[in-house]
Amino acid sequence: MDARLVVFSGPLTGKAFPVTEEELVIGREKSNAVCLSYSRVSRCHCSVKREGDGFKITDLGSSNGTFVNDVPIKEHFLKHGDQIKIVSSLFLFLLDEGDELSYPNQVQLDERPLPAGSTASLRSQDSRYLGSTDLVTATASENRMARDLNALLKISTVINSIRGLEPLHRRLLELIVEVIPAERGAILTIGEGEKDYRSVSCWDRADGTDQPLPVSRTIVDRVRKEGAALLSSRPLHGEMFQKARSLAQSQAESVLCAPLTILDKFVGCIYLETSSLAAPFDEDDLHLLTGIASIAAVASQNAYHLEWLQGENRRLQEDISIKHNMVGESKAMSQVHRFIAKAAPTNSSVLICGESGTGKELAAHALHRNSPRAGKPFVAINCAALTETLLESELFGHEKGAFTGATTQKKGKLEVANEGTVFLDEVGESAPSLQVKLLRVLQEHEFERVGSTRPIQVDIRLIAATNRNLEEAIEGGTFRRDLYYRLNVVSFTMPPLRDRREDIPLLAQYFVAKSSKECNRPTTNISPEARACLMRYHWPGNVRELQNVIERAVVLGSSDVILREDLPEVLLETEPVTGDPWNYHEVIKEKKKELILNAVEQAQGNYTEAAKLLQLHPNYLHRLIRNMDLKDELKGK
């Protein structure tokens, strides 16, 4: 299994680098296998090496990150077609294995030498149909010339309208035997670097097209070597005919073979045989087949490449085991990916739990994209964003005149998503009356529009998400137990960001790249001090909060690197004190600490009264105490 990196953009555009057993290092150092000599590339930026049966790319602690398919990575097993971005250079990872199309071989090549006999060869430039011969002075009869030209025109018209390689070759052979008296024939192709020929179609007047056709390798190899068409008459009468097993088996009296050539490159040949003594091949047939081969070569190659691209597209889709937009390589996220891989192919309802901002909708998208419904609609509805009446209309649709303002009939989201996936975000906020109707949809797969009594059948997969504890909501009487059981066929919890801190650098780098592009700012990196602040913060708003923090820093920052002072003050409050009297942030933090401790002491431990003294909202005071880790000190007050 050969692998290579092809450069699509950057200073090395057009170059290809093979990935062998040795580690391939990419970076600014001239000693690296791939040298990208500009400052934003680290000296040793990343490496690619074979590991087991696959190939792994590893970021070597680079400043600006290594991106695979626009997602920052630490380590990643590469798949065919993966795009690797290193600053402004874009690489494509390619595997040679499986690049060629697989067809049943319809020919059996004979290894014996070319039998002695009458032979003639013809180069394409010497063909009366492809050269500069004056048709008026041509020696061939006018009737034969007119017929052959008509055949060439017909073949050119027909084969250029056929896309598949097998139907193209089958139809081409059928057209050829209409004008050349062949009893058997095959079209052979050979790819670059291949050792053997292959054929997807052959033709036999007696046996049909299903039986493999014996073909003389000696004749085919000579045509390939010389690049000229060959006519061999009565080869069995030569002294070496007994060694030509394929010719002896078919009792061939004459053989025609013309090369398929594109830009002087041999890509295959057309091979014909006849056993008839009454109608052997002649030089007119040799000229005609040469002309046909010249026309057929491009059509055959185009059909092959089209099928290769279609197969490659299918293979790339299959190779990506989990398609998602979730950034992270932590153990917690790996468990989420494994769950999605198992649950996505089913039709079961899924309940996604987790705090706000953890990426529940991204997980729902991943479940849809990896399911059999991936080509159908994905419809998302936030149950907390709409009133009960509006939500019912959004889900189920309404008839004209069903309520004030319903001037036309409207399809609901459930109807629009037929055969696809419906994602109900914050399902725990839905009203009890709406929960009854959702239960019916899950059980009976039908509903009525608002203002209608006609049931509408629907085929959907339902994915729901909540940041509430639905079991507590059931006990409190705000959520139906039966609906909970229908939704909670399978469930998982998206981990909060504080439980996957190792993903923070990857997420931050991803959001830097995204925000700098969207905001048209040159920000490319995060300073070590700012990165340390990001790692210490507890992220109550999870990934959504991190995205907002990075976007704010990109917009308000004054350089191409995010500095500590570009971050919100709430993150700086979590920094440890070093005792530097000239550090602005530390002095401010110490003063805040002193004010809070004094206020709580004066309020005799009452946080609400302390907040009033400080003219702060109580929730903000609690957050300050938590961020500044003052709980232990306040216990002693």
Side-chain angles (χ1 to χ4, degrees):
M1 182 168 61
D2 296 327
R4 61 192 184 278
L5 292 177
V6 179
V7 188
F8 268 67
S9 66
L12 302 179
T13 299
K15 292 189 176 182
F17 299 91
V19 182
T20 61
E21 299 294 335
E22 297 294 327
E23 184 177 33
L24 182 116
V25 179
I26 304 172
R28 199 171 72 247
E29 285 282 358
K30 293 184 178 180
S31 59
N32 293 331
V34 182
C35 178
L36 300 175
S37 55
Y38 40 92
S39 59
R40 287 165 54 198
V41 176
S42 299
R43 295 183 182 277
C44 293
H45 200 100
C46 64
S47 68
V48 181
K49 65 178 179 180
R50 182 189 291 271
E51 188 164 305
D53 294 331
F55 295 87
K56 185 171 73 173
I57 183 170
T58 304
D59 184 84
L60 302 176
S62 66
S63 298
N64 291 300
T66 303
F67 291 72
V68 176
N69 301 325
D70 293 326
V71 176
I73 57 93
K74 291 179 181 176
E75 292 184 341
H76 179 82
F77 277 95
L78 293 168
K79 303 178 181 66
H80 181 71
D82 277 349
Q83 295 183 12
I84 303 167
K85 187 175 182 182
I86 300 171
V87 187
S88 61
S89 289
L90 183 65
F91 296 77
L92 189 65
F93 178 75
L94 297 176
L95 288 172
D96 288 339
E97 183 182 60
D99 283 357
E100 298 296 341
L101 297 174
S102 177
Y103 295 103
N105 204 347
Q106 295 293 333
V107 299
Q108 297 174 340
L109 291 163
D110 187 349
E111 302 288 347
R112 304 300 180 181
L114 178 66
S118 175
T119 61
S121 65
L122 180 69
R123 298 184 182 277
S124 60
Q125 62 265 30
D126 299 326
S127 169
R128 65 171 65 110
Y129 304 113
L130 302 175
S132 58
T133 305
D134 187 351
L135 296 181
V136 176
T137 61
T139 58
S141 69
E142 292 183 0
N143 289 337
R144 177 68 182 264
M145 179 72 72
R147 190 203 71 173
D148 289 352
L149 285 173
N150 185 61
L152 285 171
L153 179 61
K154 179 180 179 181
I155 289 173
S156 176
T157 302
V158 171
I159 65 176
N160 284 307
S161 64
I162 303 174
R163 291 193 174 187
L165 190 63
E166 186 173 355
L168 171 66
H169 285 187
R170 187 185 307 114
R171 183 61 177 141
L172 183 57
L173 287 171
E174 291 172 356
L175 293 171
I176 289 173
V177 299
E178 288 180 5
V179 291
I180 297 177
E183 294 182 345
R184 294 168 296 278
I187 299 176
L188 289 74
T189 59
I190 189 166
E192 186 174 357
E194 290 187 1
K195 296 181 180 179
D196 217 346
Y197 304 93
R198 48 194 164 85
S199 174
V200 300
S201 184
C202 62
W203 181 87
D204 191 308
R205 190 188 301 277
D207 300 326
T209 60
D210 294 331
Q211 299 299 321
L213 176 69
V215 170
S216 170
R217 181 185 291 275
T218 305
I219 291 178
V220 173
D221 283 347
R222 176 170 168 179
V223 169
R224 180 183 183 183
K225 179 179 179 181
E226 297 180 357
L230 182 70
L231 166 62
S232 181
S233 300
R234 307 194 74 186
L236 292 176
H237 293 267
E239 60 181 11
M240 300 180 65
F241 76 93
Q242 293 180 340
K243 296 182 179 180
R245 188 168 50 193
S246 62
L247 297 175
Q249 180 179 343
S250 61
Q251 294 295 304
E253 287 295 331
S254 56
V255 177
L256 271 175
C257 186
L260 299 171
T261 307
I262 298 178
L263 299 176
D264 297 327
K265 179 182 177 183
F266 179 89
V267 295
C269 63
I270 303 175
Y271 182 92
L272 303 175
E273 285 184 359
T274 183
S275 301
S276 173
L277 292 172
F281 300 141
D282 56 25
E283 289 198 13
D284 289 328
D285 296 321
L286 181 64
H287 280 269
L288 179 57
L289 187 63
T290 302
I292 293 172
S294 180
I295 294 171
V298 175
S300 179
Q301 196 74 349
N302 287 343
Y304 172 77
H305 282 303
L306 179 62
E307 289 196 0
W308 183 87
L309 288 171
Q310 291 171 339
E312 187 68 3
N313 183 54
R314 288 192 299 270
R315 194 163 74 87
L316 286 173
Q317 295 298 325
E318 293 168 358
D319 281 349
I320 305 174
S321 56
I322 295 295
K323 295 175 283 186
H324 61 83
N325 294 324
M326 296 179 289
V327 177
E329 300 175 1
S330 62
K331 183 178 179 181
M333 288 305 296
S334 296
Q335 291 174 348
V336 171
H337 296 161
R338 285 194 293 270
F339 176 89
I340 292 173
K342 291 180 180 179
T346 72
N347 276 321
S348 300
S349 298
V350 180
L351 179 62
I352 306 174
C353 303
E355 298 176 8
S356 179
T358 52
K360 296 188 288 296
E361 186 167 350
L362 287 178
H365 272 287
L367 284 165
H368 174 71
R369 292 176 63 192
N370 293 279
S371 75
R373 300 173 183 265
K376 301 298 181 180
F378 176 90
V379 177
I381 304 169
N382 190 327
C383 298
L386 300 171
T387 64
E388 179 181 348
T389 304
L390 286 177
L391 181 58
E392 184 177 6
S393 177
E394 280 292 304
L395 279 173
F396 306 114
H398 60 254
E399 297 290 345
K400 180 179 179 181
F403 50 83
T404 303
T407 57
T408 60
Q409 184 192 75
K410 176 187 175 182
K411 288 184 177 181
K413 294 293 182 68
L414 296 180
E415 195 171 350
V416 171
N418 190 38
E419 297 184 353
T421 303
V422 174
F423 173 59
L424 297 180
D425 198 8
E426 305 303 346
V427 70
E429 305 299 327
S430 57
S433 60
L434 194 64
Q435 295 174 26
V436 175
K437 295 184 177 182
L438 283 175
L439 182 63
R440 183 187 175 196
V441 173
L442 287 170
Q443 290 179 336
E444 308 298 333
H445 303 288
E446 67 177 27
F447 63 92
E448 291 98 26
R449 295 194 188 110
V450 176
S452 172
T453 57
R454 182 176 64 88
I456 298 173
Q457 295 290 322
V458 69
D459 172 24
I460 59 169
R461 183 188 193 180
L462 196 62
I463 300 174
T466 182
N467 60 9
R468 294 180 60 188
N469 187 323
L470 292 186
E471 292 182 352
E472 291 182 0
I474 292 171
E475 296 300 323
T478 60
F479 200 81
R480 294 181 62 94
R481 187 180 298 274
D482 47 4
L483 177 59
Y484 173 71
Y485 291 137
R486 290 296 300 175
L487 292 174
N488 192 27
V489 176
V490 288
S491 65
F492 67 97
T493 300
M494 290 296 293
L497 188 56
R498 59 184 172 275
D499 290 346
R500 42 181 290 226
R501 290 187 177 276
E502 58 267 46
D503 289 334
I504 291 176
L506 290 178
L507 285 162
Q509 193 65 55
Y510 173 75
F511 291 135
V512 166
K514 182 179 179 182
S515 298
S516 61
K517 182 178 180 181
E518 292 176 350
C519 302
N520 196 27
R521 296 296 301 271
T523 310
T524 59
N525 199 10
I526 305 172
S527 70
E529 295 79 13
R531 197 183 301 270
C533 288
L534 298 178
M535 292 297 291
R536 281 192 292 267
Y537 186 54
H538 66 283
W539 299 108
N542 294 296
V543 179
R544 186 181 291 122
E545 185 183 7
L546 173 60
Q547 180 177 3
N548 292 342
V549 165
I550 296 298
E551 183 174 351
R552 175 188 181 276
V554 169
V555 172
L556 300 180
S558 56
S559 70
D560 61 354
V561 176
I562 293 178
L563 305 174
R564 186 179 65 172
E565 49 265 34
D566 297 328
L567 300 177
E569 189 174 347
V570 65
L571 269 73
L572 303 180
E573 291 167 354
T574 62
E575 288 195 280
V577 177
T578 61
D580 185 353
W582 296 104
N583 187 303
Y584 171 82
H585 296 290
E586 289 191 8
V587 171
I588 294 296
K589 183 179 178 181
E590 280 296 306
K591 189 61 179 177
K592 281 184 180 180
K593 177 181 176 181
E594 181 183 343
L595 286 171
I596 292 170
L597 293 175
N598 290 338
V600 172
E601 183 178 6
Q602 188 171 338
Q604 298 180 348
N606 188 318
Y607 288 3
T608 303
E609 292 298 323
K612 289 180 180 180
L613 291 172
L614 293 168
Q615 300 181 27
L616 298 175
H617 192 283
N619 290 344
Y620 183 57
L621 176 59
H622 280 283
R623 191 183 73 180
L624 284 172
I625 292 170
R626 182 174 62 249
N627 288 346
M628 300 175 72
D629 198 21
L630 299 179
K631 288 184 178 180
D632 290 339
E633 293 189 49
L634 289 172
K635 286 179 182 179
K637 294 292 183 180

